[in-house]
Amino acid sequence: MNVADKRALPHRPVEVTLMGLGCAQMGNLYRKTAYEESAGAFKASWDAGIRYFDTAPFYGFTRSERRLGTMLTDLPRESYTLSTKVGRVMTPDETVGPEEDGYVEPLPFRPVYDYSYDGIMRSFEASQQRLGILKPDILYIHDIGRMTHGDRHEHYWNQLMAGGGFRALGKLRNEGSTKAIGLGVNEWEIIRDAMQVFDIDVSMLAGRYTLLEQQSLAFMDDCAEKGVAIVVAGPFNSGILAGNRKFNYADAPAEMIARVDALHAACEEEGVSMQAAALQFPLAHPAVVTIVSGARTAEQIKSNVDWFSETIPASFWTRLKERGLIAEGAPVPGEGA
């Protein structure tokens, strides 16, 4: 596979390259990242043929959108695909500290959840200004769901429903301010719920359909049947499939470590990089149009591109199936090719 190859959303005029660049690191996620370092990662992505870029107001408390917009607006608008997110209104606040929500030196704009009609429209218009781009190709509702909001989930879901959030998204799509709309979340169940009440085109799902976990397989099959595209983010499951011991942004539980160790053993037996398997596996599912991986440096981009293009023998996937390391019925690369 080549990162520069493209797939189209089933029902909207949007194409994405098979690999996209997630831009949370441009917002100083976990550590400070110099602008020059971010620009180097962007250039390496572009040089490799990556043309899909994803950001959000929340990343660095507006820093990521500002940085990415500066880089993209030097390039022809038709040459790339851009997504950003709504659901948080970034409010000026001088009390923002030196590190908040995982971001180092965030800018002085505090995120306030607001999924109402007015909140969606305010968030979108502010993103237009920061990016310097009037019409992002894809607009995601960011972090709706119980995993984020707990007991407050019903309150925020009601903002989307009765409060007009979904209506705002429909308006933006219908008027051509964006081409496609959906959710950007960490839980597949909320995408399923949204599909039952609103016509979504595509959703970014972080970490829930990966080499490590496929409990969402039936849901993914349903998306493929209905023509709802899935963008797989977090293909390394917070890094546990890339060599660390983190899962869902925390220390991995023992059962996950054991499963990763079993995957690693199969990789060694077949001479396969586990990172390559992690990047390539999700794209075998017909619902998946791209994988998005964050990278802080040009070197990380180059590693991701190399893993993405690594040749993996069919015997490797057979070995995983025989050992019960991937779900029964989950499609694998090369199957039916």
Side-chain angles (χ1 to χ4, degrees):
M1 292 190 295
N2 189 311
V3 297
D5 292 342
K6 293 184 176 182
R7 290 181 181 174
L9 304 193
H11 300 310
R12 298 292 167 185
V14 179
E15 286 189 328
V16 290
T17 48
L18 291 186
M19 181 180 285
L21 178 64
C23 296
Q25 281 83 349
M26 287 189 186
N28 293 352
L29 180 63
Y30 302 137
R31 71 169 177 82
K32 185 175 180 179
T33 305
Y35 178 85
E36 293 75 16
E37 195 171 28
S38 292
F42 177 87
K43 183 178 186 302
S45 299
W46 191 269
D47 290 347
I50 292 170
R51 296 292 185 271
Y52 173 45
F53 303 91
D54 174 73
T55 185
F58 179 57
Y59 300 159
F61 292 19
T62 78
R63 187 186 298 277
S64 175
E65 280 192 327
R66 295 171 194 274
R67 285 184 167 180
L68 181 61
T70 298
M71 298 169 196
L72 285 177
T73 49
D74 278 343
L75 300 163
R77 178 62 187 91
E78 69 277 7
S79 64
Y80 58 84
T81 299
L82 168 67
S83 59
T84 191
K85 306 181 182 75
V86 291
R88 291 176 173 93
V89 174
M90 307 306 295
T91 306
D93 187 344
E94 63 183 4
T95 71
V96 170
E99 183 172 355
E100 297 205 16
D101 293 320
Y103 291 97
V104 175
E105 296 184 13
L107 295 178
F109 301 92
R110 189 170 299 283
V112 177
Y113 290 114
D114 192 337
Y115 301 91
S116 70
Y117 182 94
D118 289 343
I120 296 295
M121 298 303 285
R122 287 173 59 201
S123 177
F124 178 73
E125 290 167 6
S127 288
Q128 289 176 302
Q129 298 256 2
R130 287 188 292 265
L131 288 162
I133 296 168
L134 286 179
K135 297 179 179 181
D137 301 282
I138 302 171
L139 194 62
Y140 298 119
I141 304 166
H142 201 186
D143 288 340
I144 191 72
R146 298 185 188 281
M147 183 179 292
T148 299
H149 297 300
D151 293 341
R152 295 281 287 169
H153 168 67
E154 295 299 335
H155 169 75
Y156 291 118
W157 183 251
N158 190 57
Q159 287 185 344
L160 282 172
M161 297 287 289
F166 280 132
R167 181 165 55 89
L169 286 170
K171 178 181 185 296
L172 291 170
R173 181 177 61 188
N174 292 341
E175 71 187 17
S177 293
T178 189
K179 295 176 182 175
I181 53 180
L183 281 65
V185 293
N186 294 279
E187 50 192 300
W188 62 266
E189 294 88 348
I190 195 66
I191 304 174
R192 175 200 60 197
D193 293 348
M195 288 168 61
Q196 294 172 359
V197 298
F198 190 72
D199 175 28
I200 64 174
D201 309 303
V202 55
S203 285
M204 175 175 283
L205 180 60
R208 301 285 77 84
Y209 186 76
T210 68
L211 184 67
L212 184 60
E213 54 174 320
Q214 302 101 46
Q215 290 92 335
S216 62
L217 179 58
F219 159 76
M220 296 287 290
D221 293 343
D222 192 42
C223 287
E225 181 180 343
K226 291 179 167 59
V228 175
I230 296 294
V231 172
V232 169
F236 297 133
N237 280 107
S238 300
I240 195 170
L241 290 175
N244 71 24
R245 291 303 198 188
K246 297 293 184 182
F247 175 76
N248 277 359
Y249 314 106
D251 290 338
E255 62 270 20
M256 282 299 177
I257 291 176
R259 190 171 182 85
V260 170
D261 288 343
L263 287 166
H264 187 262
C267 287
E268 287 199 327
E269 291 164 13
E270 293 281 346
V272 170
S273 303
M274 187 157 65
Q275 296 93 331
L279 289 175
Q280 295 182 34
F281 170 76
L283 281 163
H285 197 283
V288 177
V289 290
T290 182
I291 56 165
V292 169
S293 183
R296 196 179 304 276
T297 66
E299 290 72 23
Q300 290 175 351
I301 291 292
K302 291 170 185 173
S303 294
N304 285 349
V305 170
D306 288 344
W307 288 324
F308 191 87
S309 60
E310 182 178 316
T311 299
I312 297 179
S315 58
F316 170 74
W317 305 112
T318 300
R319 189 182 295 263
L320 295 190
K321 288 180 177 181
E322 289 173 346
R323 295 181 181 180
L325 292 173
I326 52 177
E328 184 176 350
V332 297
E335 209 169 44

